[in-house]
Structure formats: C-alpha cells, structure tokens
Amino acid sequence: MKKVLAIILAAVLCFSIMAISVSARPEKEITLKFNEDGYFKIIQIADLQDTANPSKKTMEYIREIAETEKPDLFILTGDNISDSVARGFTKGHSESKVRQAIRSFMTVFEEIGVPVAIVFGNHDAEGLVSKEKQMVIYNEYSCCIAVDEGDSLYGCGTYNLPIYSSDGTKIAYNLWLFDSNMYDDVNGGYDHVHDDQIEWYVNTSNELKAQNGGEVVPSMAFQHIIVNEVFNALTEVEKGTEGAIENGGKYYVLPEGAKGELLERPCPGTVDSLQFDKMVEQGDVKAMFFGHDHKNAFEVSYNGIDIVNTSTSGFGAYGADNRGVRVITLDENDTSTYETKMIKYLDTCCDEPGEIILYHLEGIKYIWDMFLMGLSMPLKYITNLLFA
C-alpha cells in the first residue's frame, strides 16, 4: 500500500512540476553565458511579419548573417508573423497557418543551433490564435527559451534571461523581455507595458541587485512598441526642416551625432507609462531595443538610457532600403557599455544588379499580398463570426 501511495505521490509531484514549468520557465538545458573570449553576441530580428509562405531570401539572409557573426542568441522583437496569418477562415485553419508560419523560421534557427527568445508585437495575435497558444508552439522547438509567465502579469511573454560570467560563477548581465501588448482598448492607438509588468521588473531588478552584493546587474531591454520618451531624445525643429518627421504638430530630427536613420514617425503607446522612468530609477538598463516602426534604424540617448530602433528584417511588410538585422555585442570586461551595428540586406546580399532587382521585386510582392488580403477580409470576417 505504501508503495502504491509513493507512486501516486510521485506522479502528482511530477505533474505539479510539469504544470509549473509550462506556466513559468520551460525546462530546457540552455544557459546563456559569456564565451571564453569574454564576449556575448545577440542578433535582434524585428518585424519578420511573414506569411505562412515566407520569403526564402529572408531565411537565406539570416543563415548568412548567423554564419558570419556567430551569435549566441537571437531575439525576435514582435510582429514575427503577419496579421493575415493570424486571421484564418476558422480557428482550426488559423492555427494551422500560424503553426506553418512559425515553423518556417523556427526550423531555420533550430538548424543553426542558436537559442531564440521572442516577444510579441501588435500583429501576432490579431486573429483567432492567442499569444499563449503561440508561445506553446514556439516552445515546441528546443532552441526556444521564451517564457509564458502565466496569469501573473498582463499580456504574455514578459520575462528575463540572465547571462552568466564566462566561468559560470555569477550573473554578469541580464536581458529584460517585455510584452508591450497590442492596442489600447480605452484610449485608442497602441498599447504599452502595464503597471503590473513594471512592478515585476522593479522587484526582479532588486532581487538581482541583492544577489549581486548590492550592485545593480547591468541590463538591456527588448520589446516591440517603442516608449514615448523617444520624442524627448529627438531634436525638435521647425516645420519644413529637411528630413523632419511630424508628431502632434511638432517636428523632429535625429540629434547631432546620433547614428542611424529616422524615416518615419515613431509610434509609441497612447498612454505614457512609467516603464522608462522606473528603469532610470533602477539604474540597471543601459539600452532599450525596439522594432514596430519598420523604416527606422537609429540610436539615441535620453536620461542615461539608449533608445534603439531596428528596421524590419523581413520582406512580409512595408519597409525601406535599410531592411536588416541588428547585432549587439557585450563585453564581460566592460559591461557598462556595448557595441551595436545594423547589417542591411542590400549591403550583404545584393552584390549583383540582378540581386538588387530581385530585392525590389520582393516589395512588389508585399503590395500584391496586401491587395489579396484586402479582397479576402470580408469573407474572413464572416467566417470568424460563424466559427469562432
């Protein structure tokens, strides 16, 4: 009888552990750490926003960059799939398309053999497949180290990833990953990181600080939607200034000496959340990395934090001639700073005139896909109402 009870208790305990791991951190034997040479390299991929049949050029490009840069981690910063994928004719059809779209790029990362972290954007879950369900699909791949924090926080996919020292003895750096959510149902426009997510960040930051002998653990943050403070970091100019973008009747350019390109208006959340202010107070975050605004690829600074936008990495949505990926290099011997660069598709994969023509044909394909999606929307809307 005792043996039977022991077996039952063991089964219950095993089930409990499994349940915890599903709602918290996936039980995968992947530890991020600085290499023996003291460096850790991240490749940020923004707004792939691809369909269930993604551009092969995007995948070829990512393979080539991975081979040359040899990253330790990929981070996908939202709009990883397009809204046209998420909006299937039925829930089953939509899930099949979403699964196919995720498989199209996650199998590439799996083959490359590099860990992948993801956050969601505003387009990922506009249809019938929730972010929670998508997170389960992502974590079917052994390379995925993203976390569904369960019901404890607003949204899905707000977590942190520690990077250990090269000797593995301590947490030398930390990565914050935030679900910046989708749309503001109350105020309209885009959403933001909510108060409970910010509270979690502060508490976890303090825990890391306590474990580090009272010293903050240097960190950087990744999310999809940019913070409102970006406009404080830009330089306000007069209307008509060459290259200026407009926001709320004011006009802005990149400040003198800033790197990159400001080609469209940044689109932060409607509500000015406390996220950025709390990070300034905590003093651990050196930089914040965003996607969302496909044409922008810039680096600016405000109140001691770098605000960095990365242009779209894929061909599944609008963009400019600066499509590419961002490479971020951390140095264990000097964690007070970092190096970053954009590697643009045109600079890497278009040595021949014919390749440049093919690059621009991808943009035409995007316009055609949007046209077809527009034609199908009324039918999808009706079927979603009938079969949701």
Side-chain angles (χ1 to χ4, degrees):
M1 183 65 179
K2 289 181 179 178
K3 186 175 182 181
V4 173
L5 286 173
I7 292 172
I8 294 172
L9 288 171
V12 171
L13 178 61
C14 180
F15 178 80
S16 300
I17 294 172
M18 289 174 64
I20 292 170
S21 67
V22 168
S23 62
R25 188 175 296 279
E27 295 298 322
K28 297 179 181 177
E29 296 181 3
I30 298 176
T31 300
L32 303 180
K33 60 183 293 187
F34 282 90
N35 296 314
E36 291 181 358
D37 61 5
Y39 292 98
F40 188 91
K41 188 175 289 187
I42 301 166
I43 290 184
Q44 179 195 2
I45 297 177
D47 299 87
L48 278 176
Q49 208 162 317
D50 243 326
T51 65
N53 299 296
S55 166
K56 291 182 179 179
K57 289 199 168 296
T58 304
M59 299 300 107
E60 291 170 0
Y61 169 63
I62 289 172
R63 286 181 187 275
E64 181 175 332
I65 298 301
E67 184 176 341
T68 56
E69 293 294 325
K70 295 179 172 49
D72 299 291
L73 177 68
F74 287 106
I75 299 182
L76 277 60
T77 49
D79 283 5
N80 310 314
I81 62 175
S82 71
D83 55 351
S84 62
V85 172
R87 291 173 174 146
F89 291 102
T90 66
K91 188 171 184 178
H93 177 234
S94 187
E95 183 174 327
S96 175
K97 289 173 64 184
V98 167
R99 186 175 290 276
Q100 182 180 342
I102 292 174
R103 182 173 64 244
S104 68
F105 53 83
M106 287 301 291
T107 52
V108 173
F109 297 128
E110 195 95 286
E111 291 167 8
I112 293 172
V114 174
V116 180
I118 68 109
V119 294
F120 293 110
N122 54 291
H123 286 310
D124 288 291
E126 287 184 312
L128 299 174
V129 184
S130 68
K131 289 184 281 189
E132 289 77 11
K133 176 60 180 177
Q134 290 185 41
M135 187 66 88
V136 171
I137 296 172
Y138 277 106
N139 273 301
E140 291 173 359
Y141 297 88
S142 61
C143 62
C144 182
I145 55 174
V147 178
D148 178 0
E149 71 286 5
D151 297 330
S152 60
L153 298 176
Y154 192 92
C156 176
T158 294
Y159 55 103
N160 72 294
L161 295 173
I163 303 175
Y164 286 83
S165 56
S166 53
D167 62 9
T169 59
K170 68 170 187 176
I171 295 175
Y173 211 89
N174 184 62
L175 305 178
W176 302 104
L177 295 102
F178 290 93
D179 182 5
S180 54
N181 301 299
M182 297 171 64
Y183 302 100
D184 190 327
D185 295 331
V186 176
N187 304 288
Y190 293 111
D191 210 344
H192 55 277
V193 173
H194 286 229
D195 289 346
D196 62 334
Q197 297 171 277
I198 299 169
E199 182 181 6
W200 165 84
Y201 153 71
V202 171
N203 291 338
T204 308
S205 174
N206 287 336
E207 290 172 9
L208 290 170
K209 181 178 178 179
Q211 293 171 18
N212 195 40
E215 297 290 330
V216 297
V217 175
S219 309
M220 52 180 50
F222 296 83
Q223 65 192 58
H224 184 68
I225 298 173
I226 201 164
V227 291
N228 281 268
E229 284 78 6
V230 63
F231 290 105
N232 298 107
L234 299 176
T235 298
E236 187 176 346
V237 294
E238 294 182 358
K239 181 178 180 180
T241 300
E242 183 179 359
I245 56 94
E246 185 271 339
N247 182 66
K250 297 180 179 180
Y251 296 82
Y252 299 89
V253 296
L254 291 178
E256 186 176 353
K259 297 179 181 178
E261 300 164 296
L262 176 67
L263 301 179
E264 66 175 314
R265 180 180 70 86
C267 294
T270 303
V271 171
D272 188 5
S273 80
L274 295 175
Q275 181 190 14
F276 188 87
D277 290 341
K278 288 297 180 182
M279 287 183 170
V280 172
E281 287 181 17
Q282 290 297 115
D284 56 346
V285 175
K286 309 300 179 185
M288 302 180 73
F289 295 85
F290 307 92
H292 190 47
D293 303 311
H294 296 194
K295 294 183 178 181
N296 290 338
F298 58 74
E299 305 165 45
V300 293
S301 186
Y302 179 65
N303 278 358
I305 297 178
D306 295 337
I307 298 174
V308 186
N309 207 113
T310 298
S311 56
T312 179
S313 302
F315 290 96
Y318 80 92
D321 284 347
N322 59 3
R323 296 177 193 271
V325 301
R326 181 173 293 281
V327 179
I328 305 156
T329 304
L330 304 175
D331 183 350
E332 184 179 13
N333 295 317
D334 184 7
T335 54
S336 65
T337 186
Y338 63 94
E339 292 183 0
T340 185
K341 62 181 178 181
M342 284 292 303
I343 301 181
K344 299 178 183 178
Y345 185 93
L346 279 175
D347 294 339
T348 308
C349 302
C350 294
D351 297 329
E352 303 295 331
E355 292 175 327
I356 296 176
I357 293 173
L358 289 174
Y359 172 87
H360 289 292
L361 284 176
E362 291 290 344
I364 296 174
K365 176 181 176 293
Y366 160 71
I367 295 172
W368 176 248
D369 287 345
M370 293 300 99
F371 172 72
L372 292 179
M373 186 179 74
L375 292 179
S376 67
M377 283 307 297
L379 180 58
K380 287 183 179 180
Y381 178 74
I382 294 171
T383 54
N384 284 348
L385 288 177
L386 292 175
F387 298 105

